[in-house]
């Protein structure tokens, strides 16, 4: 974080400053408050006490599972120099007591981004979409980091806590800030946009991911459109031309609109796409020229993510050859996202079980079907796609039928909540025993250990809650 005095932080948060070791019943003197207020904080901002280092600001947030206040002592032991909390604690470091920790975090991130923007040359790029946010962010991080100091979230820090924490990692030297914006309800993206004020905003897709929480696909579209509705005319909205719900967002933004996709109307598009077990190749066509791209990331669906990244680079005036070189250097989308594992058994495992929606599962199955060569057997190990609400049965049914139509040769369905995949595969009519339903990942592992043979290509796909990413690791020979 940029250097700020404790007094400035207290003012930004609208909180009450409590010096180190103060007794609740004794008001600190003016001199003590002045001395503490002048102390500078320039370390990281953390909500996880395990990530605290010397000089960190620890934000104690109450949560559904646990309460950050219970870990304040651990944070101090780890080196925290300041604690922001919702109730006064007995601590050997200063604390700022606020009414709402999440609101305080947002206020701090808003101020820090505004200050860096005012004194530096900061460009903020924000990304949202039902699928592909993290992959696109990772591609852009590789591109932009090669050009100038860049801050981007690790993993999927994209909610009302993770995104502001990522923003607070900037300094006066930061040239590019990448912000991944997720949401589970209306208003969440709008709040993040108000903090970051993006110069470039990317919308990838409107799909059924988390649709159960939103209440319908129209509500998902409305939530994702919050990315562009408040953009000023000076900003750029980069929209997926192949998704009509995303493309229509051009009608609700004052920003200049740039499109990407496979459509001939897209400003940045791809032709001659070829997918294999070693990656995906295509011809990128951009306003500044055309060039071949060889992604090491597996799956044709990641071409759209690469096109989105190319679109951002184009708007930033970056060299096309350098941009493509950075794209081609990315070895994988992310841990547990189309991650190719090659154990000594000779089986190829595609571990894509960090997240799953109907769209991403269909894309993963299509990739499996595309990369199979003669003599190889395709195996899909599928678990629940969570947070689909009333759409759950229908969408799991669709996945089962799709697996059959794509001629996936063996299907292992894991867990009661995914049973409609298995049932639909059997009802599709062309299968007899190729689909197996098991209760647990352990049962699936035992079944597959006895059944898999050299040359098999195995896709493991589920939502994170189903836990199949660990099954994928075991099948792929990854040691915990």
């Amino acid at each position: 974080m940029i250097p700020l005095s404790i007094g400035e932080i207290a003012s930004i948060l609208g909180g009450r400053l409590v010096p180190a070791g103060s007794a609740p019943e004794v008001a600190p003197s003016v001199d003590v408050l002045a001395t503490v207020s002048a102390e500078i904080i320039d370390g990281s901002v953390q909500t996880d006490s395990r990530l605290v280092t010397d000089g960190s600001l620890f934000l104690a947030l109450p949560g559904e599972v646990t309460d950050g206040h219970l870990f304040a002592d651990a944070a101090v032991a780890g080196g925290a120099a300041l604690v922001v909390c919702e109730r006064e604690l007995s601590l050997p470091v200063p604390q700022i007591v606020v009414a709402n920790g999440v609101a305080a975090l947002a206020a701090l991130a808003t101020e820090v981004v505004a200050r860096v923007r005012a004194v530096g040359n900061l460009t903020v790029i924000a990304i949202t979409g039902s699928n592909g946010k993290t992959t696109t962010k990772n591609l852009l991080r590789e591109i932009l980091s090669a050009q100038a100091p860049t801050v981007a979230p690790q993993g999927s820090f994209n909610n009302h806590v993770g995104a502001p924490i990522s923003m607070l990692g900037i300094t006066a030297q930061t040239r590019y800030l990448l912000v991944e914006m997720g949401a589970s309800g209306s208003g969440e993206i709008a709040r993040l946009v108000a903090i970051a004020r993006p110069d470039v905003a990317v919308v990838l897709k409107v799909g059924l991911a988390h649709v159960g929480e939103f209440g319908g696909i129209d509500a998902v579209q409305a939530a994702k459109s919050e990315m562009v509705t408040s953009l000023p005319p000076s900003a750029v909205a980069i929209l997926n031309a192949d998704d009509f719900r995303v493309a229509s967002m051009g009608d609700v933004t004052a920003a200049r609109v740039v499109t990407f996709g496979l459509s001939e109307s897209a400003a940045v598009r791809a032709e001659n796409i070829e997918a294999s077990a070693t990656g995906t190749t295509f011809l990128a066509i951009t306003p500044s020229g055309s060039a071949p791209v060889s992604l090491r990331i597996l799956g044709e669906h990641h071409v759209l993510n690469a096109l989105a990244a190319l679109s951002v680079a184009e708007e930033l005036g970056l060299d096309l050859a350098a941009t493509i070189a950075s794209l081609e250097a990315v070895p994988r989308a992310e841990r547990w996202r189309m991650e190719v594992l090659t154990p000594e058994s000779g089986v190829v495992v595609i571990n894509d079980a960090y997240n799953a929606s109907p769209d991403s599962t269909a894309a993963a199955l299509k990739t499996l079907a595309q990369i199979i060569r003669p003599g190889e057997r395709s195996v899909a190990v599928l678990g629940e796609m969570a947070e689909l609400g009333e759409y759950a049965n229908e969408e799991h049914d669709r996945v089962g039928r799709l697996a059959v139509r794509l001629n996936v040769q063996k299907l292992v369905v894991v867990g009661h909540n995914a049973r409609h995949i298995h049932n639909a595969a059997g009802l599709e009519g062309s299968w007899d025993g190729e689909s197996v339903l098991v209760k647990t990942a352990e049962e699936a592992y035992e079944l597959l250990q006895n059944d898999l043979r050299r040359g098999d290509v195995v896709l493991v796909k589920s939502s994170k809650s189903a836990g199949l990413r660990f099954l994928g690791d075991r099948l792929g020979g990854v040691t915990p």
Side-chain angles (χ1 to χ4, degrees):
M1 187 178 72
I2 62 173
L4 292 172
S5 71
I6 291 179
E8 286 180 293
I9 296 172
S11 178
I12 293 166
L13 305 188
R16 176 171 58 89
L17 175 58
V18 179
S22 294
E25 66 276 5
V26 180
S29 69
V30 173
D31 289 343
V32 169
L33 284 174
T35 300
V36 174
S37 294
E39 295 177 14
I40 299 298
I41 301 294
D42 60 1
S44 66
V45 178
Q46 303 292 350
T47 58
D48 186 336
S49 62
R50 296 167 296 183
L51 302 179
V52 165
T53 56
D54 287 345
S56 289
L57 183 160
F58 176 68
L59 189 66
L61 296 179
E64 294 181 4
V65 177
T66 188
D67 187 343
H69 294 79
L70 301 176
F71 300 93
D73 288 330
V76 173
L82 176 66
V83 173
V84 175
C85 46
E86 293 184 1
R87 61 178 184 269
E88 188 171 334
L89 303 170
S90 178
L91 296 172
V93 299
Q95 59 189 293
I96 298 172
V97 182
V98 298
N100 184 296
V102 172
L105 174 61
L108 184 59
T110 301
E111 181 67 18
V112 167
V113 171
R115 290 195 185 196
V116 174
R117 193 189 292 274
V119 301
N121 191 26
L122 182 68
T123 297
V124 180
I125 302 104
I127 306 163
T128 195
S130 298
N131 305 108
K133 295 185 294 297
T134 300
T135 300
T136 304
K137 176 261 297 180
N138 288 344
L139 294 173
L140 276 170
R141 177 171 55 201
E142 190 76 19
I143 293 168
L144 299 178
S145 295
Q147 302 293 324
T150 299
V151 170
Q154 298 296 322
S156 297
F157 269 37
N158 61 26
N159 65 7
H160 62 292
V161 174
I165 289 289
S166 297
M167 297 179 211
L168 287 167
I170 63 176
T171 69
Q173 288 71 48
T174 302
R175 177 67 181 88
Y176 299 113
L177 169 61
L178 281 171
V179 184
E180 186 179 333
M181 296 185 179
S184 57
S186 66
E188 293 182 13
I189 291 176
R191 285 188 284 273
L192 294 177
V193 168
I195 297 171
R197 295 191 295 126
D199 301 289
V200 181
V202 181
V203 186
L204 298 168
K205 188 173 184 59
V206 172
L208 292 174
H210 312 294
V211 70
E213 296 181 356
F214 283 96
I217 191 67
D218 291 337
V220 175
Q221 179 179 350
K224 299 303 181 186
S225 69
E226 293 170 10
M227 175 66 89
V228 301
T229 50
S230 62
L231 293 178
S234 59
V236 179
I238 296 179
L239 305 178
N240 181 356
D242 298 343
D243 185 325
F244 76 94
R245 292 182 181 275
V246 175
S248 69
M249 294 178 191
D251 298 330
V252 297
T253 185
R256 180 167 57 86
V257 173
V258 172
T259 57
F260 67 93
L262 306 185
S263 168
E264 290 188 2
S265 65
V268 177
R269 66 184 192 276
E271 295 181 353
N272 305 329
I273 301 172
E274 294 186 12
S276 72
T278 58
T280 311
T281 63
F282 63 95
L283 178 67
I285 301 172
T286 77
S288 63
S290 302
V293 180
S294 296
L295 288 179
R296 295 162 67 186
I297 299 174
L298 184 66
E300 184 177 308
H301 53 294
H302 286 305
V303 171
L304 281 176
N305 301 328
L307 292 175
L310 280 166
S311 300
V312 173
E314 188 81 11
E315 288 304 309
L316 297 177
L318 304 184
D319 177 72
L320 179 60
T323 297
I324 290 175
S326 293
L327 285 176
E328 294 179 335
V330 178
R332 63 185 182 190
E334 179 84 0
R335 180 82 166 98
W336 298 311
R337 288 178 169 90
M338 296 301 286
E339 182 177 15
V340 180
L341 305 173
T342 54
E344 294 181 358
S345 64
V347 173
V348 175
V349 177
I350 305 168
N351 195 353
D352 192 31
Y354 188 82
N355 275 324
S357 68
D359 290 329
S360 67
T361 302
L365 285 169
K366 290 174 184 176
T367 297
L368 176 64
Q370 285 175 332
I371 66 175
I372 288 293
R373 297 175 299 183
E376 296 178 338
R377 183 175 62 152
S378 55
V379 180
V381 183
L382 305 179
E384 180 190 12
M385 301 178 292
E387 299 176 353
L388 293 178
E390 65 183 283
Y391 300 90
N393 291 351
E394 177 184 351
E395 294 304 325
H396 284 87
D397 184 285
R398 289 180 190 273
V399 164
R401 294 179 187 277
L402 178 63
V404 176
R405 292 167 188 170
L406 290 172
N407 198 32
V408 174
Q409 291 156 283
K410 185 174 184 65
L411 181 61
V412 178
V413 181
V414 184
H416 178 75
N417 291 341
R419 67 192 182 282
H420 288 282
I421 298 175
H422 169 72
N423 295 340
L427 292 171
E428 186 60 17
S430 60
W431 273 16
D432 181 20
E434 290 91 343
S435 180
V436 179
L437 176 65
V438 297
K439 292 181 180 179
T440 67
E442 185 63 34
E443 288 182 51
Y445 180 76
E446 292 176 1
L447 171 69
L448 290 163
Q449 279 290 89
N450 295 323
D451 185 69
L452 292 179
R453 55 182 184 263
R454 181 173 294 274
D456 286 348
V457 181
V458 185
L459 168 69
V460 183
K461 181 70 173 175
S462 74
S463 287
K464 185 177 181 180
S465 58
L468 296 197
R469 62 196 185 280
F470 305 118
L471 171 62
D473 281 348
R474 290 180 72 186
L475 294 173
V478 175
T479 304

